[in-house]
Amino acid sequence: MMAIIGMFFQDGLTGSAWGDWALYGASPLRAFENELGVQEPVGFWDPLGFTADGDLLAFKRRRCVELKHGRICMLATMGYITPEVAGKFPGYLSPSANLKFADIPNGLAAVSKIPALGWAQMVAYAGYCELSGPRTRAANTEDYSNITPGDYGFKVLTSSDPQELTKKLNAEIANGRLAMMALIG
């Protein structure tokens, strides 16, 4: 359904449902068509027009947010799948409540089974992750002028070959987008 809506939008924008950008040379969307995450067969796709103004700092902010949420969703997706495939930890989640890891169901059913102190630990860790990242204010895009999207002080995806690095970074963005969709349902 979303693909069809996107094709109708693109048809109105370029005159072609398949995105013949040669027919729409003055597009403000061209400002970001060479950025990471622009992949075939869609190319640069912004059906809601968030980048229509060509604001680079706003684009960097959105890319930072996309990478952060993508990474969180990749971890969450693995956390959802791993107990199904590899099994659960042995032992107790809460010895005082006599609650074993095996007693916790997968998915949303786990929400009501986890003790309140367990939720407090998860919220504290999420708060630590939020506060230990780059100091930015959502309403002020100037904070993003000196930030490289996705750079939190350590490099996981590295390569001495620029093409290989670009391929890895594009894969991270694509996998993050897929994980975000997977968690939606």
Side-chain angles (χ1 to χ4, degrees):
M1 185 68 175
M2 288 300 294
I4 293 170
I5 293 169
M7 287 175 61
F8 284 134
F9 179 81
Q10 198 165 358
D11 185 42
L13 187 65
T14 65
S16 168
W18 307 112
D20 187 0
W21 287 107
L23 299 175
Y24 194 69
S27 173
L29 301 177
R30 288 187 177 267
F32 305 111
E33 69 182 3
N34 295 320
E35 294 290 330
L36 284 171
V38 178
Q39 300 170 350
E40 293 297 330
V42 178
F44 184 75
W45 194 59
D46 180 20
L48 299 178
F50 287 131
T51 58
D53 59 359
D55 184 358
L56 179 62
L57 295 179
F59 177 80
K60 283 178 72 174
R61 179 190 170 279
R62 288 187 193 98
R63 180 51 51 92
C64 287
V65 170
E66 178 185 22
L67 283 167
K68 186 177 196 177
H69 290 154
R71 289 172 179 174
I72 291 167
C73 287
M74 285 188 277
L75 288 171
T77 303
M78 289 305 300
Y80 194 89
I81 294 171
T82 302
E84 292 283 341
V85 175
K88 298 179 180 175
F89 291 124
Y92 288 88
L93 172 67
S94 176
S96 63
N98 198 25
L99 183 63
K100 295 181 180 181
F101 285 106
D103 296 337
I104 304 293
N106 290 343
L108 292 176
V111 171
S112 64
K113 303 292 185 198
I114 298 174
L117 192 55
W119 283 111
Q121 290 172 351
M122 287 187 263
V123 168
Y125 179 69
Y128 168 76
C129 291
E130 277 294 319
L131 296 174
S132 65
R135 299 286 186 253
T136 58
R137 297 162 294 189
N140 186 2
T141 57
E142 290 298 320
D143 292 345
Y144 293 87
S145 62
N146 297 325
I147 293 176
T148 301
D151 186 6
Y152 293 104
F154 60 92
K155 302 280 189 242
V156 176
L157 301 174
T158 60
S159 178
S160 57
D161 180 19
Q163 287 182 327
E164 182 69 20
L165 180 61
T166 299
K167 180 181 173 185
K168 289 179 178 182
L169 293 173
N170 275 328
E172 178 189 22
I173 293 171
N175 290 336
R177 290 171 179 167
L178 180 62
M180 286 186 270
M181 295 307 292
L183 286 180
I184 288 174

